[in-house]
């Protein structure tokens, strides 16, 4: 009985080792399945990478708010000419943004000088609206580990027994992210580039995603209604009254330091940006920032971005607001980059 049980254990171990070896081999030869939207921008950028020296990476808050045409005009007027591509993507929060940043850097653009990276907190839960592909493709171990670290120790000062308690409190986040890692490791979707029908679907809306000028910028929507504007003002007043400086959690802090190092290793300079969102909390690194940080989520300093006439919702600006934001961002960018 013992010998039979031992043989079964050995067979299971061999099967597991074979699976891991096969998965690792597929990982080595096949690229991850990049979802549509991201795939369209990455394909276009890789084909035109040497035409750009500045790349903006972030969520829809930059996707619909930074016009490369206006940005380049303003930087040129301020003595720092740029050629910019907007790599903003709907819902691309950390750590997905770090994975996409790595894919951009892997194209090895020869003239890359600056990367403007949106600041945001590492997420541990994912919006089902974005679909399974968006949740799986970036869940390799380094980026999955970021979510686990944030879930287990969000403040960074938890003792060992508190972390054990967090195993239960954060169990759903832990299980969800580990499951997604398992799917990614099992090569779900890999090899999709070899399917003509799947490829056509991924690039079907490429022109729309790249915007009218094929610079990655899409035009925003209309201003919020009077009813929503009143709610926005109330929420903003509450945010202003409760605004306090706040240190980034350790997982996010370290992730942005790593990203800054990767950007510099690629021969470019990083600059971090906080978009003019509703939250008025001032994010701070625990030690010296790894790159210049431009924060625009201050309604007292930048009241023009919080006029309800130029806002779509809590996080997005209208076309008029986007043009205003792009001009001021470009001016601040040029000023910071001129500094030693």
């Amino acid at each position: 009985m013992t010998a039979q049980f031992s043989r079964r254990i050995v067979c299971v171990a061999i099967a597991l080792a074979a699976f891991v070896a096969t998965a690792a081999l597929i990982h080595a030869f096949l690229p991850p399945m990049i979802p549509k939207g991201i795939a369209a921008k990455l394909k276009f950028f890789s084909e035109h990478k040497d035409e750009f020296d500045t790349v903006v990476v972030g969520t829809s808050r930059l996707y619909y708010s930074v016009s490369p045409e206006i940005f380049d005009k303003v930087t040129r007027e301020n003595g720092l000419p740029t050629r910019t591509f907007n790599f903003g993507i709907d819902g691309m929060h950390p750590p997905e943004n770090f994975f996409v940043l790595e894919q951009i850097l892997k194209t090895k653009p020869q003239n890359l000088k600056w990367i403007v990276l949106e600041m945001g907190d590492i997420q541990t839960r994912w919006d089902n609206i974005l679909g399974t592909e968006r949740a799986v493709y970036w869940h390799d171990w380094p980026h999955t580990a970021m979510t686990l670290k944030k879930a287990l120790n969000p403040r960074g000062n938890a003792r060992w027994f508190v972390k054990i308690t967090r195993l239960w409190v954060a169990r759903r986040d832990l299980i969800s992210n580990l499951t997604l890692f398992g799917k990614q490791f099992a090569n779900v979707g890999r090899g999709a580039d070899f399917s003509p029908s799947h490829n056509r679907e991924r690039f079907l809306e490429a022109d729309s995603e790249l915007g009218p000028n094929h610079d990655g910028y899409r035009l925003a929507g209309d201003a919020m209604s009077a009813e929503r504007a009143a709610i926005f003002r109330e929420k903003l007043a509450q945010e202003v009254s409760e605004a306090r400086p706040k240190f980034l959690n350790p997982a996010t802090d370290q992730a942005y330091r790593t990203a800054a190092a990767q950007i510099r290793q690629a021969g470019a300079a990083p600059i971090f940006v906080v978009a003019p969102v509703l939250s008025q909390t001032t994010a701070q690194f625990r030690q010296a920032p790894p790159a210049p940080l431009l924060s625009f989520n201050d309604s007292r300093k930048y009241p023009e971005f919080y006029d309800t006439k130029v806002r779509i919702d809590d996080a997005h600006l209208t076309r008029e607001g986007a043009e205003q934001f792009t001009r001021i961002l470009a001016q601040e960018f040029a000023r910071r980059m001129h500094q030693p």
Side-chain angles (χ1 to χ4, degrees):
M1 188 71 176
T2 305
Q4 186 179 7
F5 180 74
S6 298
R7 282 197 298 272
R8 288 178 180 175
I9 293 295
V10 170
C11 289
V12 170
I14 292 173
L16 181 61
F19 168 75
V20 171
T22 303
L25 189 64
I26 294 174
H27 271 250
F29 288 97
L30 289 180
M33 201 295 298
I34 307 294
K36 67 178 183 178
I38 302 166
K41 282 198 167 183
L42 191 59
K43 181 176 183 293
F44 179 85
F45 182 79
S46 63
E47 293 170 350
H48 301 269
K49 59 186 179 181
D50 295 336
E51 298 174 17
F52 302 103
D53 58 29
T54 306
V55 181
V56 176
V57 181
T59 65
S60 57
R61 294 180 292 225
L62 297 187
Y63 188 5
Y64 301 100
S65 296
V66 180
S67 164
E69 181 181 15
I70 296 174
F71 189 92
D72 294 341
K73 180 177 182 294
V74 174
T75 55
R76 186 167 57 251
E77 292 170 350
N78 284 267
L80 192 75
T82 56
R83 180 73 192 281
T84 305
F85 184 78
N86 185 325
F87 215 110
I89 298 289
D90 288 335
M92 191 171 71
H93 299 284
E96 183 184 7
N97 65 334
F98 301 125
F99 182 91
V100 172
L101 172 63
E102 291 174 7
Q103 306 313 304
I104 294 170
L105 297 178
K106 282 179 182 178
T107 66
K108 298 187 182 301
Q110 296 299 307
N111 300 313
L112 186 64
K113 294 181 180 178
W114 300 284
I115 287 188
V116 179
L117 184 61
E118 183 181 4
M119 285 284 296
D121 208 8
I122 284 179
Q123 305 293 299
T124 59
R125 300 179 183 179
W126 310 102
D127 194 338
N128 291 332
I129 296 174
L130 296 176
T132 304
E133 287 184 352
R134 279 291 299 274
V136 170
Y137 84 105
W138 60 265
H139 261 91
D140 57 11
W141 180 247
H143 298 91
T144 301
M146 293 179 187
T147 67
L148 302 182
K149 182 179 179 181
K150 167 73 182 301
L152 284 173
N153 193 10
R155 292 191 179 90
N157 57 357
R159 296 176 180 270
W160 64 269
F161 53 86
V162 176
K163 291 181 182 180
I164 292 176
T165 305
R166 289 289 304 179
L167 285 172
W168 175 254
V169 174
R171 64 191 183 282
R172 291 177 181 173
D173 292 345
L174 297 173
I175 291 171
S176 172
N177 285 283
L178 286 171
T179 300
L180 291 169
F181 164 72
K183 291 180 178 180
Q184 202 270 2
F185 184 76
N187 301 297
V188 173
R190 284 188 185 249
D193 287 340
F194 297 102
S195 170
S197 61
H198 195 278
N199 249 338
R200 281 194 299 271
E201 182 182 345
R202 288 165 67 205
F203 298 104
L204 193 61
E205 301 175 358
D207 285 343
S208 172
E209 289 153 353
L210 290 167
N213 294 334
H214 275 217
D215 55 11
Y217 168 62
R218 290 179 66 177
L219 303 179
D222 299 324
M224 61 178 65
S225 65
E227 182 181 358
R228 292 182 66 187
I231 296 173
F232 176 83
R233 293 190 191 98
E234 290 179 7
K235 291 163 70 175
L236 178 60
Q238 182 70 21
E239 286 287 337
V240 170
S241 67
E242 297 176 353
R244 299 288 187 277
K246 182 181 179 182
F247 285 124
L248 295 170
N249 66 79
T252 300
D253 188 302
Q254 183 55 53
Y256 275 96
R257 291 184 186 280
T258 300
Q262 291 171 334
I263 293 169
R264 290 193 173 95
Q265 189 174 8
I271 185 165
F272 300 149
V273 172
V274 178
V277 293
L278 179 65
S279 171
Q280 302 291 288
T281 298
T282 305
Q284 295 181 347
F285 285 92
R286 293 174 182 270
Q287 297 179 3
L293 172 59
L294 304 179
S295 297
F296 295 97
N297 62 328
D298 186 338
S299 60
R300 291 171 175 169
K301 185 176 181 180
Y302 300 104
E304 61 269 41
F305 301 146
Y306 291 87
D307 185 335
T308 54
K309 294 178 182 177
V310 299
R311 294 205 72 98
I312 300 173
D313 53 30
D314 292 358
H316 302 93
L317 301 168
T318 63
R319 181 174 181 175
E320 179 186 351
E323 291 175 354
Q324 284 182 304
F325 175 64
T326 301
R327 291 190 189 95
I328 293 179
L329 172 62
Q331 290 168 357
E332 284 296 304
F333 170 86
R335 184 179 68 81
R336 288 294 186 95
M337 293 303 102
H338 276 310
Q339 291 177 351

